[in-house]
Amino acid sequence: MTTAQHPWPETLRDCGLRVTRQRLAVLDAVAERPHQPAEAIHAEVARRLPEITVQSVYTVLHDLTAHQLLRRFDPPGSAARYETRTQDNHHHAICTRCGRIEDVDCVHGAAPCLEAPAGLGMEVEVADVVFRGICRDCAAQAGAEPASAAPQPLPDS
Amino acid sequence: MTTAQHPWPETLRDCGLRVTRQRLAVLDAVAERPHQPAEAIHAEVARRLPEITVQSVYTVLHDLTAHQLLRRFDPPGSAARYETRTQDNHHHAICTRCGRIEDVDCVHGAAPCLEAPAGLGMEVEVADVVFRGICRDCAAQAGAEPASAAPQPLPDS
DNA sequence: GGGTAATTGTGAATTACTCATAATTTGCGG
DNA sequence: CCGCAAATTATGAGTAATTCACAATTACCC
């Protein structure tokens, strides 16, 4: 689908970061499949760079997140996820049954929820919103199967 | 301040739970100091029940959370916190410098942010909102000290 | 190409929990 | 009150996710 890739090397250099195979591979993997945990990113990256270690993936993810090339998202009760959408203010929806994570564009405009805490003595910089519920597919299945009480352990995207 | 305590024993029995010293002590500790991690709750509880173990605190927190007597909150990149405000829809503000966590009442009314994802194929049950920024105290200090780049490791309340 | 600082690899350590099982306790029935 | 059964807690080990220290390698300016 996306034949034209991001100019990752340029972006890296703009941040004062060196261009390495590991960083490019991680950026590609996260761009292609967002909302994956570090282990899954490592598995994907290892297909091209079999010698890469999980620890290096952690280091790369940490560095790229610190430089705003990646955004880290912590689903409650699960490992951290990463995505390349860092410039816009978007939120996330998690299905409590199948664990699927989807992006949710901001409803109130560009910087929506930041207007919220009027009386709060704080200058708000970020507002992270996590919606939780039952996605359409799981709701459809719920009619047939009563479904398990415990939610699935957050599989993939 | 709050001389009149909650009727925890009654509340516990209403949930079909037995009344134990450990549960009462945990409920008291969380009510008195919300937004504390399990370790801090254990430390507080241990002042009255020196023989209690951290694992038991984890079990109690888990059980009470499952029965809606406590609400669990996962700050990004930090251990879980607990609070007794379970009936209202409120959110949280975290100072990225000092780590202080404060409650934020809902701005849009009772169930505010649930109206958000119109085009989303999901029936939203919960909307967790986390505001992050610099609190008033830290902003005042920022003028004097340039402050460290890394945020403090989420101390207390 | 050479040097140097940045980056990655290696391996151990840590944090925040969870799990299995044994000991204890609560609360009901008698 | 007493005792039993189920619920709860203590004990100890185990796990997942991530971090840390340091040695080996690599990118990039000259």
Side-chain angles (χ1 to χ4, degrees), chain B residues 42-113:
Chain B
H42 171 253
E44 175 64 26
V45 167
R47 295 171 55 193
R48 310 278 164 152
L49 298 174
E51 65 280 354
I52 200 173
T53 62
V54 186
Q55 285 83 344
S56 292
V57 172
Y58 274 110
T59 306
V60 168
L61 289 171
H62 178 271
D63 291 347
L64 296 181
T65 302
H67 286 272
Q68 317 281 321
L69 293 190
L70 291 180
R71 177 176 161 188
R72 173 180 167 150
F73 162 62
D74 291 275
S78 175
R81 313 302 173 107
Y82 297 87
E83 60 194 345
T84 52
R85 280 181 69 178
T86 57
Q87 302 305 340
D88 62 343
N89 186 329
H90 75 275
H91 304 310
H92 296 102
I94 305 180
C95 175
T96 52
R97 189 155 320 185
C98 69
R100 181 162 56 189
I101 302 177
E102 285 180 26
D103 285 343
V104 178
D105 291 331
C106 242
V107 273
H108 298 111
C113 313

Side-chain angles (χ1 to χ4, degrees), chain A residues 96 146-151:
Chain A
T96 52
S148 60

Side-chain angles (χ1 to χ4, degrees), chain A residues 3 10 30 34 36 38 43 45 70 72 78 80 83 96-97 102 116 119:
Chain A
T3 43
E10 198 182 321
V30 175
Q36 295 295 119
V45 167
L70 292 180
R72 174 181 166 149
S78 175
E83 61 195 344
T96 52
R97 190 155 319 184
E102 285 180 26

